[in-house]
Amino acid sequence: MGEPYISPRGVSDYWLYASLFGDTCLVAIENEQVIGAALGFQSQVDPTDLYLQDVMVHPEHRGRGIAKDLITAVAETGRKRGCTRMYLTSEPENSVAHQTWLGLGFVNVPGDYTEHGVHVTADYKGPGRDRAVYEIHLR
């Protein structure tokens, strides 16, 4: 239900998240149904960085603070591990995500150009994959 910005992963991806990143890849469950998830990964290159790959909430449960609770829990784990920055990326045209990240205290990092009032870094995720980068300091 995260289309067009988030697509389903393969079974082995979910095994990887649960087995190796279980304390930073969290789900919200209500009445035995998954209603939200946040997938975070501590960098092995720079262990002070914590990257949020995906944050999603079931459409019927949005507006209840679920994303905020999930992100707060991932951030707390990051703090305990010595992370000082949590960051994520978004497609520049995803205006709902832009407002959500700003509302949760993230800052849109200055990039190579601005599109629709959003700072964008060119080729951030590879050639032609420009992204808006957002960060929040954990200390």
Side-chain angles (χ1 to χ4, degrees):
M1 298 187 134
E3 298 287 344
Y5 300 108
I6 300 173
S7 59
R9 305 294 198 272
V11 173
S12 65
D13 292 331
Y14 293 116
W15 171 88
L16 175 75
Y17 302 159
S19 298
L20 301 179
F21 302 102
D23 58 348
T24 56
C25 291
L26 306 177
V27 294
I29 299 173
E30 184 176 274
N31 298 322
E32 299 181 20
Q33 297 278 327
V34 174
I35 60 171
L39 305 177
F41 305 98
Q42 185 175 9
S43 173
Q44 292 183 359
V45 175
D46 181 354
T48 64
D49 275 350
L50 179 61
Y51 178 69
L52 280 174
Q53 171 64 36
D54 293 320
V55 178
M56 58 207 121
V57 175
H58 189 287
E60 294 175 10
H61 298 276
R62 292 181 181 153
R64 295 177 35 202
I66 295 167
K68 179 181 180 182
D69 290 346
L70 287 165
I71 291 170
T72 299
V74 171
E76 184 55 32
T77 297
R79 278 187 198 94
K80 288 178 184 174
R81 290 180 166 192
C83 295
T84 58
R85 177 178 83 125
M86 181 166 58
Y87 72 107
L88 56 88
T89 66
S90 184
E91 285 79 358
E93 69 275 7
N94 189 343
S95 59
V96 172
H98 177 74
Q99 291 305 315
T100 299
W101 307 139
L102 296 180
L104 291 171
F106 285 84
V107 173
N108 181 207
V109 177
D112 299 313
Y113 64 95
T114 302
E115 181 179 307
H116 308 292
V118 176
H119 297 290
V120 181
T121 302
D123 301 327
Y124 191 84
K125 286 195 169 181
R129 298 194 54 159
D130 299 357
R131 293 291 185 269
V133 179
Y134 300 85
E135 68 179 11
I136 192 167
H137 294 281
L138 300 178
R139 298 251 179 228

